Amino acid sequence: MNEFVFLGGLVATLLLVVVLFIKLISFNKKLSSCYQRIVILKKELDVAKNEVQELRSGLMGMGKRIAKLQNMTHEVSEKQVEIQHVDADSKLYSRAVKMVELGADIEEIISECELPRAEAELLFSIHGKNQ
């Protein structure tokens, strides 16, 4: 009977070893599958890093171009204001010359065109009719 107990224990141990071996093989397959998934995810991460780097480079280039365009726009705006100011002054002087040619007196030109007396007198001396 001792032999049966020993054989029974041996068979139970053998079965336990076989079950553990099967579980070990199953665990090994799962581990291998996880490792393959990690390799795939690492490749995807590398691709994503490269894409982010390309986007960053593109955005930096765009930022520089936008800053340059803003500077150009500011310069154009300043020049436009200067031109409007110069143009407004030239319109006043053109109007004053026209008034001189039509026979307006100095006081009328000073008040209508908002010119200093010296400038109005200069316009009279240049454009005025011989009196």
Side-chain angles (χ1 to χ4, degrees):
M1 182 108 144
N2 257 348
E3 287 179 6
F4 285 116
V5 172
F6 177 74
L7 274 176
L10 188 59
V11 169
T13 304
L14 222 98
L15 280 174
L16 183 62
V17 168
V18 168
V19 168
L20 287 175
F21 186 72
I22 291 171
K23 290 218 180 239
L24 183 63
I25 290 173
S26 174
F27 179 74
N28 192 22
K29 286 181 182 178
K30 288 180 183 176
L31 188 62
S32 176
S33 175
C34 287
Y35 178 75
Q36 289 173 353
R37 183 70 181 143
I38 288 172
V39 168
I40 291 170
L41 289 173
K42 184 173 180 336
K43 288 179 183 177
E44 290 176 359
L45 180 62
D46 289 342
V47 168
K49 282 181 181 179
N50 288 338
E51 289 175 355
V52 167
Q53 183 60 37
E54 288 175 17
L55 287 171
R56 183 180 297 145
S57 296
L59 287 174
M60 288 175 62
M62 281 183 98
K64 289 177 183 178
R65 284 187 219 129
I66 288 172
K68 187 176 180 180
L69 287 172
Q70 285 176 330
N71 287 337
M72 290 172 59
T73 302
H74 182 70
E75 289 173 10
V76 167
S77 294
E78 287 179 349
K79 287 180 181 179
Q80 185 178 14
V81 167
E82 287 176 20
I83 288 171
Q84 287 173 345
H85 182 67
V86 168
D87 193 33
D89 289 345
S90 69
K91 283 182 183 177
L92 285 176
Y93 286 110
S94 296
R95 183 173 176 213
V97 169
K98 187 76 167 176
M99 288 177 70
V100 168
E101 290 173 353
L102 292 173
D105 64 6
I106 288 181
E107 297 303 323
E108 188 178 359
I109 292 172
I110 291 172
S111 66
E112 289 291 323
C113 298
E114 298 178 4
L115 294 177
R117 177 169 289 282
E119 290 180 14
E121 289 175 353
L122 182 62
L123 283 175
F124 258 93
S125 67
I126 295 172
H127 298 286
K129 295 179 184 177
N130 291 336
Q131 298 179 358

